[in-house]
Amino acid sequence: ALFVRLEARQRAPMLGLSLFRNTTFAGANVVALLVTLAMFGVFFMSLYMQNILGYSAVKTGAVFLPMTVLIILVAPAAGRFSDRIGSRWLMTGGMALLVVALLLVSRLGLDSGFWDIFPGLIVGGLGMASVMTPMTAAALGSVPVAKAGVGSGVLNTFRQVGGALGIAVMGAIVAAYVDLSGGRPDPAAFVDGFQTALLVSAGFALLGSAVAA
């Protein structure tokens, strides 16, 4: 609040608050915050796979490869498609796919395997790819060329804040279910917390879909 107040009084502010008068720019930044906030729930899967399923660090990383490859392949195509039809519906649809992905992953349990994880990663990869490039195009396309650097910096800041909030919120939810007084956490309690955190993440993604629409 203090930062915003000081910036509003500066003759040459570091962050031009007038940029947020553009609803497209403001909406794209809110979506950036919510998509990273929501998707950091998925990255708690690394703890789930190693602590519950007994995967090694290398195997855990390999499990995420399908999602990563999909993002690499689909994101450029999503960017080209957004140039034709606009970013709005791609972001809305992408966030909706993330809701589905998080709900799928929230069903994982103590005895799940790779093929239980796989559908959520595929849907999540498609959702992320459909959101990220159009979101960037929407944000930067709505600011003057002279302010493109500032706009890009603001967008990345919102992404980082969303990620930090995601770690804090999802970590707090999981921690509320896990009792460490006995040393190693109870696997069933960890899974309960993990599933709840993913459902909350799905709620944030649903909110992002509504904002994008």
Coordinates of all heavy atoms in Angstrom, one line a residue, residues 73-177:
L73 N 5.6 -27.4 -27.3 CA 5.0 -27.6 -28.6 C 3.8 -26.7 -28.9 O 3.6 -26.2 -30.0 CB 4.7 -29.0 -28.9 CG 5.9 -30.0 -28.9 CD1 5.4 -31.4 -29.0 CD2 6.9 -29.6 -30.0
V74 N 2.9 -26.6 -27.9 CA 1.6 -26.0 -28.1 C 1.7 -24.4 -27.9 O 0.9 -23.7 -28.5 CB 0.6 -26.6 -27.1 CG1 -0.8 -25.9 -27.2 CG2 0.4 -28.1 -27.4
A75 N 2.6 -24.0 -27.0 CA 2.6 -22.5 -26.7 C 2.8 -21.6 -27.9 O 2.1 -20.6 -28.1 CB 3.6 -22.2 -25.6
P76 N 3.7 -22.0 -28.8 CA 3.9 -21.1 -30.0 C 2.6 -21.1 -30.9 O 2.2 -20.1 -31.4 CB 5.1 -21.8 -30.7 CG 5.8 -22.5 -29.7 CD 4.8 -23.0 -28.7
A77 N 2.0 -22.3 -31.0 CA 0.8 -22.4 -31.8 C -0.3 -21.5 -31.2 O -1.1 -20.9 -31.9 CB 0.3 -23.8 -32.0
A78 N -0.4 -21.6 -29.8 CA -1.4 -20.8 -29.1 C -1.2 -19.3 -29.4 O -2.1 -18.5 -29.5 CB -1.4 -21.1 -27.6
G79 N 0.1 -18.9 -29.4 CA 0.4 -17.5 -29.7 C -0.1 -17.1 -31.1 O -0.6 -16.0 -31.2
R80 N 0.2 -17.9 -32.1 CA -0.3 -17.6 -33.4 C -1.8 -17.6 -33.5 O -2.4 -16.7 -34.2 CB 0.3 -18.6 -34.4 CG 1.8 -18.5 -34.6 CD 2.3 -19.3 -35.8 NE 2.1 -20.8 -35.5 CZ 3.0 -21.6 -35.0 NH1 4.1 -21.1 -34.6 NH2 2.7 -22.9 -34.8
F81 N -2.4 -18.5 -32.8 CA -3.9 -18.5 -32.8 C -4.5 -17.3 -32.2 O -5.5 -16.8 -32.6 CB -4.3 -19.8 -32.2 CG -5.7 -20.2 -32.5 CD1 -6.2 -20.2 -33.8 CD2 -6.6 -20.6 -31.5 CE1 -7.5 -20.6 -34.2 CE2 -7.9 -21.0 -31.8 CZ -8.3 -21.0 -33.2
S82 N -3.8 -16.8 -31.1 CA -4.3 -15.7 -30.4 C -4.3 -14.4 -31.3 O -5.1 -13.5 -31.1 CB -3.6 -15.4 -29.1 OG -2.3 -15.0 -29.3
D83 N -3.3 -14.4 -32.2 CA -3.2 -13.3 -33.1 C -4.4 -13.2 -34.1 O -4.8 -12.2 -34.6 CB -1.9 -13.4 -34.0 CG -0.7 -13.2 -33.2 OD1 -0.8 -12.5 -32.1 OD2 0.4 -13.7 -33.6
R84 N -5.0 -14.4 -34.3 CA -6.2 -14.4 -35.2 C -7.5 -14.2 -34.5 O -8.4 -13.4 -35.0 CB -6.3 -15.8 -35.9 CG -5.1 -16.2 -36.7 CD -5.3 -17.5 -37.3 NE -4.1 -17.9 -38.2 CZ -4.0 -19.1 -38.8 NH1 -5.0 -20.0 -38.7 NH2 -2.9 -19.4 -39.5
I85 N -7.7 -14.8 -33.3 CA -9.0 -14.7 -32.7 C -9.0 -13.9 -31.4 O -10.0 -13.7 -30.7 CB -9.5 -16.1 -32.3 CG1 -8.7 -16.8 -31.3 CG2 -9.6 -17.0 -33.6 CD1 -9.3 -18.0 -30.7
G86 N -7.8 -13.4 -31.0 CA -7.7 -12.7 -29.7 C -7.3 -13.6 -28.6 O -7.4 -14.8 -28.7
S87 N -6.9 -13.0 -27.5 CA -6.4 -13.8 -26.3 C -7.4 -14.2 -25.3 O -7.2 -15.2 -24.6 CB -5.3 -13.0 -25.6 OG -4.2 -12.6 -26.4
R88 N -8.6 -13.6 -25.3 CA -9.6 -13.7 -24.3 C -10.0 -15.2 -24.2 O -10.0 -15.8 -23.1 CB -10.7 -12.8 -24.6 CG -11.9 -13.0 -23.6 CD -13.0 -12.0 -24.0 NE -14.1 -12.1 -23.0 CZ -15.3 -11.5 -23.2 NH1 -15.4 -10.6 -24.2 NH2 -16.2 -11.6 -22.3
W89 N -10.5 -15.8 -25.3 CA -11.1 -17.1 -25.2 C -10.0 -18.2 -25.0 O -10.3 -19.2 -24.4 CB -11.9 -17.4 -26.4 CG -13.1 -16.5 -26.5 CD1 -13.3 -15.5 -27.4 CD2 -14.2 -16.3 -25.6 NE1 -14.5 -14.8 -27.1 CE2 -15.0 -15.3 -26.0 CE3 -14.5 -17.0 -24.4 CZ2 -16.2 -14.9 -25.3 CZ3 -15.6 -16.7 -23.7 CH2 -16.5 -15.6 -24.2
L90 N -8.8 -18.0 -25.5 CA -7.7 -18.9 -25.3 C -7.4 -18.9 -23.8 O -7.2 -20.0 -23.2 CB -6.5 -18.6 -26.1 CG -6.5 -19.0 -27.6 CD1 -5.4 -18.4 -28.3 CD2 -6.5 -20.5 -27.7
M91 N -7.3 -17.8 -23.2 CA -7.0 -17.7 -21.7 C -8.1 -18.4 -20.9 O -7.9 -19.1 -20.0 CB -6.7 -16.3 -21.3 CG -5.4 -15.7 -21.8 SD -5.0 -14.1 -20.9 CE -6.4 -13.1 -21.4
T92 N -9.3 -18.1 -21.3 CA -10.5 -18.6 -20.6 C -10.5 -20.1 -20.7 O -10.6 -20.9 -19.7 CB -11.8 -18.1 -21.1 OG1 -11.8 -16.6 -21.0 CG2 -13.0 -18.6 -20.4
G93 N -10.3 -20.6 -21.9 CA -10.3 -22.1 -22.1 C -9.1 -22.8 -21.5 O -9.2 -23.9 -20.9
G94 N -8.0 -22.1 -21.5 CA -6.8 -22.6 -20.9 C -6.9 -22.8 -19.4 O -6.5 -23.8 -18.8
M95 N -7.5 -21.7 -18.7 CA -7.7 -21.8 -17.3 C -8.7 -22.9 -16.9 O -8.6 -23.5 -15.9 CB -8.2 -20.4 -16.8 CG -7.1 -19.3 -16.9 SD -5.6 -19.7 -15.9 CE -6.2 -19.5 -14.2
A96 N -9.7 -23.1 -17.8 CA -10.7 -24.1 -17.6 C -10.0 -25.5 -17.7 O -10.4 -26.4 -16.9 CB -11.8 -24.0 -18.6
L97 N -9.1 -25.7 -18.6 CA -8.4 -26.9 -18.7 C -7.5 -27.1 -17.4 O -7.4 -28.3 -16.9 CB -7.5 -26.9 -19.9 CG -8.1 -27.1 -21.3 CD1 -7.1 -26.9 -22.4 CD2 -8.8 -28.5 -21.4
L98 N -7.0 -26.1 -16.9 CA -6.2 -26.2 -15.6 C -7.1 -26.6 -14.5 O -6.7 -27.4 -13.6 CB -5.5 -24.9 -15.3 CG -4.4 -24.4 -16.2 CD1 -3.8 -23.1 -15.7 CD2 -3.3 -25.5 -16.3
V99 N -8.3 -26.2 -14.5 CA -9.3 -26.6 -13.4 C -9.5 -28.1 -13.5 O -9.4 -28.8 -12.5 CB -10.6 -25.9 -13.6 CG1 -11.7 -26.5 -12.6 CG2 -10.5 -24.4 -13.3
V100 N -9.7 -28.6 -14.8 CA -9.9 -30.0 -15.0 C -8.6 -30.8 -14.6 O -8.7 -31.8 -13.9 CB -10.2 -30.3 -16.5 CG1 -10.3 -31.8 -16.7 CG2 -11.5 -29.7 -16.8
A101 N -7.4 -30.3 -14.9 CA -6.2 -31.0 -14.6 C -6.0 -31.1 -13.1 O -5.6 -32.1 -12.6 CB -5.0 -30.2 -15.2
L102 N -6.3 -30.0 -12.4 CA -6.1 -30.0 -10.9 C -7.1 -30.9 -10.3 O -6.8 -31.6 -9.3 CB -6.2 -28.6 -10.4 CG -5.1 -27.7 -10.8 CD1 -5.4 -26.2 -10.6 CD2 -3.8 -28.0 -9.9
L103 N -8.3 -31.0 -10.8 CA -9.3 -31.9 -10.2 C -8.9 -33.4 -10.5 O -9.0 -34.3 -9.6 CB -10.7 -31.7 -10.8 CG -11.3 -30.3 -10.4 CD1 -12.6 -30.2 -11.2 CD2 -11.6 -30.3 -8.9
L104 N -8.3 -33.6 -11.6 CA -7.8 -35.0 -11.9 C -6.7 -35.4 -11.0 O -6.7 -36.5 -10.4 CB -7.3 -35.1 -13.4 CG -8.4 -35.1 -14.5 CD1 -7.7 -35.0 -15.8 CD2 -9.2 -36.3 -14.4
V105 N -5.7 -34.5 -10.8 CA -4.6 -34.8 -9.9 C -5.0 -34.9 -8.5 O -4.4 -35.6 -7.7 CB -3.5 -33.7 -10.1 CG1 -2.4 -33.9 -9.1 CG2 -3.0 -33.7 -11.5
S106 N -6.1 -34.2 -8.1 CA -6.6 -34.2 -6.7 C -7.1 -35.6 -6.3 O -7.3 -35.9 -5.1 CB -7.6 -33.1 -6.4 OG -8.8 -33.5 -7.1
R107 N -7.3 -36.4 -7.3 CA -7.9 -37.8 -7.1 C -6.8 -38.8 -6.8 O -7.1 -40.0 -6.5 CB -8.7 -38.2 -8.2 CG -9.9 -37.3 -8.5 CD -10.7 -37.7 -9.8 NE -11.3 -39.0 -9.6 CZ -12.0 -39.6 -10.6 NH1 -12.2 -39.0 -11.7 NH2 -12.6 -40.8 -10.3
L108 N -5.5 -38.4 -6.9 CA -4.4 -39.3 -6.6 C -4.4 -39.7 -5.2 O -4.7 -39.0 -4.3 CB -3.1 -38.7 -7.0 CG -2.9 -38.2 -8.5 CD1 -1.6 -37.5 -8.6 CD2 -3.0 -39.5 -9.4
G109 N -4.1 -41.0 -5.0 CA -4.1 -41.5 -3.6 C -2.8 -42.3 -3.3 O -1.8 -42.1 -3.9
L110 N -2.8 -43.1 -2.2 CA -1.7 -43.8 -1.7 C -1.2 -44.8 -2.7 O 0.0 -45.1 -2.8 CB -2.0 -44.5 -0.4 CG -2.3 -43.6 0.8 CD1 -2.8 -44.4 2.0 CD2 -1.0 -42.8 1.2
D111 N -2.0 -45.4 -3.5 CA -1.7 -46.5 -4.4 C -1.7 -46.1 -5.9 O -1.7 -47.0 -6.8 CB -2.6 -47.7 -4.2 CG -2.6 -48.2 -2.8 OD1 -1.5 -48.3 -2.2 OD2 -3.7 -48.5 -2.2
S112 N -1.7 -44.8 -6.2 CA -1.7 -44.4 -7.6 C -0.4 -44.6 -8.3 O 0.7 -44.8 -7.6 CB -2.0 -42.9 -7.7 OG -3.3 -42.6 -7.1
G113 N -0.4 -44.7 -9.6 CA 0.8 -44.9 -10.4 C 0.9 -43.9 -11.5 O 0.1 -42.9 -11.6
F114 N 1.9 -44.1 -12.4 CA 2.1 -43.1 -13.4 C 0.9 -42.9 -14.3 O 0.6 -41.7 -14.7 CB 3.3 -43.6 -14.3 CG 3.5 -42.7 -15.5 CD1 4.1 -41.5 -15.4 CD2 3.1 -43.2 -16.8 CE1 4.3 -40.7 -16.6 CE2 3.3 -42.4 -17.9 CZ 3.9 -41.2 -17.8
W115 N 0.2 -43.9 -14.7 CA -0.9 -43.7 -15.6 C -2.1 -43.1 -14.9 O -3.0 -42.6 -15.6 CB -1.3 -45.1 -16.2 CG -0.2 -45.6 -17.1 CD1 0.6 -46.7 -16.9 CD2 0.2 -45.0 -18.3 NE1 1.5 -46.8 -17.9 CE2 1.2 -45.8 -18.8 CE3 -0.2 -43.9 -19.1 CZ2 1.9 -45.6 -20.0 CZ3 0.4 -43.7 -20.3 CH2 1.5 -44.5 -20.8
D116 N -2.1 -43.0 -13.6 CA -3.1 -42.2 -12.9 C -2.7 -40.7 -12.9 O -3.6 -39.8 -13.0 CB -3.2 -42.6 -11.4 CG -3.7 -44.1 -11.3 OD1 -4.7 -44.4 -11.9 OD2 -2.9 -44.9 -10.7
I117 N -1.4 -40.4 -12.9 CA -0.9 -39.1 -12.9 C -0.9 -38.5 -14.3 O -1.2 -37.3 -14.5 CB 0.6 -39.1 -12.4 CG1 0.6 -39.6 -11.0 CG2 1.2 -37.7 -12.5 CD1 2.1 -39.8 -10.5
F118 N -0.7 -39.3 -15.4 CA -0.5 -38.9 -16.7 C -1.6 -38.0 -17.3 O -1.4 -36.9 -17.9 CB -0.3 -40.1 -17.6 CG 0.0 -39.8 -19.1 CD1 1.3 -39.4 -19.4 CD2 -0.9 -40.0 -20.0 CE1 1.6 -39.1 -20.7 CE2 -0.6 -39.7 -21.4 CZ 0.6 -39.3 -21.7
P119 N -2.9 -38.4 -17.1 CA -4.0 -37.5 -17.7 C -4.0 -36.1 -17.2 O -4.1 -35.1 -18.0 CB -5.3 -38.2 -17.3 CG -4.8 -39.7 -17.1 CD -3.5 -39.6 -16.5
G120 N -3.7 -35.9 -15.9 CA -3.7 -34.6 -15.3 C -2.6 -33.8 -15.9 O -2.7 -32.5 -16.1
L121 N -1.4 -34.4 -16.1 CA -0.3 -33.7 -16.7 C -0.5 -33.2 -18.1 O -0.2 -32.1 -18.5 CB 1.0 -34.5 -16.6 CG 1.5 -34.9 -15.2 CD1 2.7 -35.8 -15.3 CD2 1.8 -33.6 -14.4
I122 N -1.2 -34.1 -18.9 CA -1.5 -33.8 -20.3 C -2.4 -32.6 -20.4 O -2.2 -31.6 -21.1 CB -2.0 -35.0 -21.0 CG1 -0.9 -36.1 -21.1 CG2 -2.5 -34.6 -22.4 CD1 0.3 -35.7 -21.9
V123 N -3.5 -32.7 -19.6 CA -4.5 -31.6 -19.6 C -3.9 -30.3 -19.1 O -4.1 -29.2 -19.6 CB -5.8 -32.0 -18.8 CG1 -6.8 -30.9 -18.8 CG2 -6.4 -33.3 -19.4
G124 N -3.1 -30.5 -18.0 CA -2.4 -29.3 -17.4 C -1.4 -28.7 -18.4 O -1.3 -27.4 -18.5
G125 N -0.7 -29.5 -19.2 CA 0.2 -28.9 -20.1 C -0.5 -28.1 -21.2 O -0.1 -27.1 -21.6
L126 N -1.6 -28.7 -21.7 CA -2.4 -28.0 -22.7 C -3.0 -26.7 -22.2 O -3.0 -25.7 -22.8 CB -3.6 -28.9 -23.2 CG -3.2 -30.1 -24.1 CD1 -4.4 -31.0 -24.3 CD2 -2.6 -29.6 -25.4
G127 N -3.4 -26.7 -20.9 CA -4.0 -25.5 -20.3 C -2.9 -24.4 -20.1 O -3.2 -23.3 -20.5
M128 N -1.8 -24.8 -19.6 CA -0.7 -23.8 -19.4 C -0.3 -23.2 -20.7 O -0.1 -22.0 -20.8 CB 0.5 -24.5 -18.7 CG 0.3 -24.8 -17.3 SD 0.4 -23.3 -16.2 CE 2.2 -23.0 -16.3
A129 N -0.1 -24.1 -21.7 CA 0.3 -23.6 -23.1 C -0.7 -22.6 -23.7 O -0.4 -21.7 -24.3 CB 0.6 -24.7 -24.0
S130 N -2.0 -22.9 -23.4 CA -3.1 -22.1 -23.9 C -3.2 -20.7 -23.2 O -3.8 -19.8 -23.7 CB -4.4 -22.8 -23.8 OG -4.3 -24.0 -24.6
V131 N -2.7 -20.7 -22.0 CA -2.8 -19.4 -21.2 C -1.6 -18.5 -21.4 O -1.7 -17.3 -21.6 CB -3.0 -19.8 -19.7 CG1 -2.9 -18.5 -18.9 CG2 -4.3 -20.4 -19.5
M132 N -0.4 -19.1 -21.2 CA 0.8 -18.2 -21.0 C 1.1 -17.3 -22.2 O 1.3 -16.1 -22.0 CB 2.0 -19.1 -20.7 CG 1.8 -20.0 -19.5 SD 1.4 -19.1 -18.0 CE 3.0 -18.3 -17.6
T133 N 1.2 -17.8 -23.4 CA 1.5 -17.0 -24.6 C 0.4 -15.9 -24.9 O 0.7 -14.7 -25.0 CB 1.8 -17.8 -25.8 OG1 2.7 -18.8 -25.5 CG2 2.3 -17.0 -26.9
P134 N -0.9 -16.3 -24.9 CA -1.9 -15.3 -25.2 C -2.0 -14.3 -24.0 O -2.3 -13.1 -24.3 CB -3.2 -16.1 -25.2 CG -2.8 -17.5 -25.7 CD -1.4 -17.7 -25.0
M135 N -1.7 -14.7 -22.8 CA -1.7 -13.8 -21.7 C -0.6 -12.7 -21.9 O -0.9 -11.5 -21.7 CB -1.5 -14.5 -20.4 CG -1.4 -13.7 -19.1 SD -0.9 -14.8 -17.8 CE 0.9 -15.1 -18.2
T136 N 0.6 -13.1 -22.3 CA 1.7 -12.2 -22.5 C 1.3 -11.3 -23.7 O 1.6 -10.0 -23.6 CB 3.0 -13.0 -22.8 OG1 3.3 -13.8 -21.7 CG2 4.1 -12.0 -23.0
A137 N 0.8 -11.8 -24.7 CA 0.4 -11.0 -25.9 C -0.7 -10.0 -25.5 O -0.6 -8.8 -25.9 CB -0.1 -11.9 -27.0
A138 N -1.6 -10.4 -24.7 CA -2.7 -9.4 -24.2 C -2.1 -8.3 -23.4 O -2.5 -7.1 -23.6 CB -3.8 -10.2 -23.5
A139 N -1.2 -8.6 -22.5 CA -0.7 -7.6 -21.6 C 0.2 -6.6 -22.4 O 0.0 -5.4 -22.2 CB 0.1 -8.3 -20.5
L140 N 1.1 -7.1 -23.2 CA 2.0 -6.2 -23.9 C 1.4 -5.5 -25.1 O 1.8 -4.4 -25.4 CB 3.2 -7.0 -24.4 CG 4.1 -7.7 -23.3 CD1 5.3 -8.3 -23.8 CD2 4.4 -6.7 -22.2
G141 N 0.3 -6.1 -25.6 CA -0.4 -5.5 -26.7 C -1.3 -4.4 -26.3 O -1.8 -3.6 -27.1
S142 N -1.5 -4.3 -25.0 CA -2.4 -3.2 -24.5 C -1.7 -2.0 -23.9 O -2.4 -1.1 -23.4 CB -3.3 -3.8 -23.4 OG -2.6 -4.3 -22.3
V143 N -0.4 -2.0 -24.0 CA 0.4 -0.8 -23.5 C 1.1 -0.2 -24.6 O 1.4 -0.8 -25.7 CB 1.4 -1.3 -22.4 CG1 0.7 -1.9 -21.2 CG2 2.5 -2.2 -23.0
P144 N 1.4 1.1 -24.5 CA 2.2 1.8 -25.5 C 3.5 1.2 -25.7 O 4.1 0.6 -24.8 CB 2.3 3.2 -25.0 CG 1.2 3.4 -24.0 CD 1.0 2.0 -23.4
V145 N 4.1 1.2 -27.0 CA 5.3 0.6 -27.3 C 6.4 1.1 -26.3 O 7.3 0.4 -25.9 CB 5.7 0.9 -28.7 CG1 7.1 0.4 -29.0 CG2 4.7 0.2 -29.7
A146 N 6.4 2.4 -26.0 CA 7.4 3.0 -25.1 C 7.3 2.4 -23.7 O 8.3 2.5 -22.9 CB 7.2 4.5 -25.0
K147 N 6.2 1.8 -23.3 CA 6.0 1.3 -22.0 C 6.1 -0.3 -22.0 O 5.8 -0.9 -21.0 CB 4.6 1.7 -21.4 CG 4.5 3.2 -21.2 CD 5.3 3.6 -20.0 CE 5.1 5.1 -19.6 NZ 5.8 5.5 -18.5
A148 N 6.5 -0.8 -23.1 CA 6.5 -2.3 -23.2 C 7.4 -2.9 -22.2 O 7.1 -4.0 -21.6 CB 6.9 -2.7 -24.6
G149 N 8.6 -2.3 -21.9 CA 9.5 -2.9 -20.9 C 8.9 -2.9 -19.5 O 9.0 -3.9 -18.8
V150 N 8.2 -1.8 -19.2 CA 7.5 -1.7 -17.9 C 6.4 -2.7 -17.8 O 6.2 -3.4 -16.8 CB 7.0 -0.3 -17.7 CG1 6.2 -0.2 -16.4 CG2 8.1 0.7 -17.6
G151 N 5.6 -2.8 -18.9 CA 4.5 -3.8 -18.9 C 5.0 -5.2 -18.7 O 4.4 -6.0 -18.0
S152 N 6.1 -5.6 -19.4 CA 6.7 -6.9 -19.3 C 7.2 -7.1 -17.8 O 7.0 -8.2 -17.3 CB 7.9 -7.1 -20.2 OG 8.5 -8.3 -20.1
G153 N 7.8 -6.1 -17.2 CA 8.3 -6.3 -15.9 C 7.1 -6.5 -14.9 O 7.2 -7.3 -14.0
V154 N 6.1 -5.7 -15.1 CA 4.9 -5.9 -14.2 C 4.3 -7.3 -14.3 O 4.0 -7.9 -13.3 CB 3.8 -4.8 -14.5 CG1 2.5 -5.1 -13.8 CG2 4.4 -3.4 -14.2
L155 N 4.2 -7.8 -15.6 CA 3.6 -9.1 -15.8 C 4.5 -10.2 -15.1 O 3.9 -11.1 -14.4 CB 3.5 -9.4 -17.3 CG 2.8 -10.7 -17.7 CD1 1.4 -10.7 -17.3 CD2 3.0 -10.9 -19.2
N156 N 5.8 -10.1 -15.2 CA 6.6 -11.0 -14.6 C 6.6 -10.9 -13.1 O 6.7 -12.0 -12.4 CB 8.1 -10.9 -15.1 CG 8.3 -11.4 -16.4 OD1 7.8 -12.5 -16.8 ND2 9.1 -10.7 -17.3
T157 N 6.4 -9.7 -12.6 CA 6.3 -9.5 -11.1 C 5.0 -10.2 -10.6 O 5.0 -10.9 -9.6 CB 6.2 -8.1 -10.8 OG1 7.4 -7.4 -11.2 CG2 6.0 -7.8 -9.3
F158 N 3.9 -10.1 -11.3 CA 2.7 -10.7 -10.9 C 2.8 -12.3 -11.0 O 2.3 -13.0 -10.1 CB 1.5 -10.3 -11.8 CG 0.8 -9.1 -11.3 CD1 1.3 -7.8 -11.5 CD2 -0.4 -9.2 -10.7 CE1 0.7 -6.7 -11.0 CE2 -1.1 -8.1 -10.2 CZ -0.5 -6.8 -10.4
R159 N 3.6 -12.8 -12.0 CA 3.8 -14.2 -12.0 C 4.6 -14.7 -10.8 O 4.3 -15.7 -10.2 CB 4.6 -14.6 -13.3 CG 3.9 -14.5 -14.6 CD 4.8 -14.7 -15.7 NE 4.1 -14.8 -17.0 CZ 4.7 -14.6 -18.2 NH1 6.1 -14.4 -18.2 NH2 4.1 -14.7 -19.3
Q160 N 5.6 -13.9 -10.4 CA 6.4 -14.3 -9.3 C 5.7 -14.2 -8.0 O 5.8 -15.1 -7.1 CB 7.7 -13.4 -9.2 CG 8.6 -13.5 -10.4 CD 9.2 -14.9 -10.6 OE1 9.5 -15.6 -9.6 NE2 9.3 -15.4 -11.8
V161 N 4.8 -13.2 -7.9 CA 4.0 -13.1 -6.6 C 3.0 -14.2 -6.6 O 2.8 -14.8 -5.5 CB 3.3 -11.7 -6.6 CG1 2.2 -11.7 -5.5 CG2 4.3 -10.6 -6.5
G162 N 2.4 -14.6 -7.7 CA 1.5 -15.7 -7.7 C 2.2 -17.0 -7.3 O 1.6 -17.8 -6.5
G163 N 3.4 -17.2 -7.8 CA 4.1 -18.4 -7.4 C 4.5 -18.5 -5.9 O 4.3 -19.5 -5.3
A164 N 4.9 -17.3 -5.4 CA 5.2 -17.2 -4.0 C 4.0 -17.5 -3.1 O 4.0 -18.2 -2.1 CB 5.8 -15.9 -3.7
L165 N 2.8 -16.9 -3.5 CA 1.6 -17.1 -2.8 C 1.2 -18.6 -2.9 O 0.6 -19.1 -2.0 CB 0.5 -16.2 -3.4 CG 0.6 -14.7 -3.0 CD1 -0.5 -13.9 -3.8 CD2 0.5 -14.5 -1.5
G166 N 1.4 -19.2 -4.1 CA 1.0 -20.6 -4.3 C 1.8 -21.5 -3.3 O 1.2 -22.4 -2.7
I167 N 3.1 -21.3 -3.2 CA 3.9 -22.1 -2.3 C 3.4 -21.9 -0.9 O 3.3 -22.8 -0.1 CB 5.4 -21.7 -2.5 CG1 5.9 -22.1 -3.8 CG2 6.2 -22.3 -1.3 CD1 7.3 -21.7 -4.1
A168 N 3.2 -20.6 -0.5 CA 2.8 -20.3 0.9 C 1.4 -20.9 1.2 O 1.2 -21.6 2.2 CB 2.7 -18.8 1.1
V169 N 0.4 -20.7 0.3 CA -0.9 -21.2 0.6 C -1.0 -22.7 0.6 O -1.5 -23.3 1.5 CB -1.9 -20.6 -0.4 CG1 -3.3 -21.2 -0.3 CG2 -2.0 -19.1 -0.2
M170 N -0.5 -23.3 -0.5 CA -0.5 -24.8 -0.6 C 0.3 -25.4 0.5 O -0.1 -26.5 1.0 CB -0.1 -25.2 -2.0 CG -0.9 -24.6 -3.1 SD -2.7 -24.6 -2.9 CE -3.1 -23.1 -3.9
G171 N 1.5 -24.9 0.8 CA 2.3 -25.4 1.8 C 1.6 -25.4 3.2 O 1.7 -26.3 4.0
A172 N 0.9 -24.3 3.4 CA 0.2 -24.1 4.7 C -1.0 -25.1 4.8 O -1.2 -25.7 5.9 CB -0.4 -22.7 4.9
I173 N -1.6 -25.4 3.7 CA -2.7 -26.4 3.7 C -2.2 -27.8 4.0 O -2.7 -28.5 4.9 CB -3.5 -26.3 2.4 CG1 -4.2 -25.0 2.2 CG2 -4.5 -27.5 2.3 CD1 -4.9 -24.8 0.9
V174 N -1.1 -28.2 3.3 CA -0.5 -29.5 3.5 C 0.0 -29.6 5.0 O -0.3 -30.6 5.6 CB 0.6 -29.8 2.5 CG1 1.3 -31.1 2.9 CG2 0.0 -29.8 1.1
A175 N 0.6 -28.5 5.4 CA 1.2 -28.6 6.8 C 0.1 -28.7 7.9 O 0.3 -29.3 8.9 CB 2.0 -27.3 7.0
A176 N -1.1 -28.2 7.6 CA -2.2 -28.3 8.5 C -2.7 -29.7 8.7 O -3.2 -30.1 9.8 CB -3.3 -27.4 8.1
Y177 N -2.4 -30.6 7.7 CA -2.8 -32.0 7.8 C -1.7 -32.9 8.4 O -2.0 -34.0 8.8 CB -3.2 -32.5 6.4 CG -4.6 -32.0 6.0 CD1 -4.8 -30.7 5.5 CD2 -5.7 -32.9 6.1 CE1 -6.1 -30.3 5.1 CE2 -6.9 -32.5 5.6 CZ -7.1 -31.2 5.1 OH -8.4 -30.8 4.7

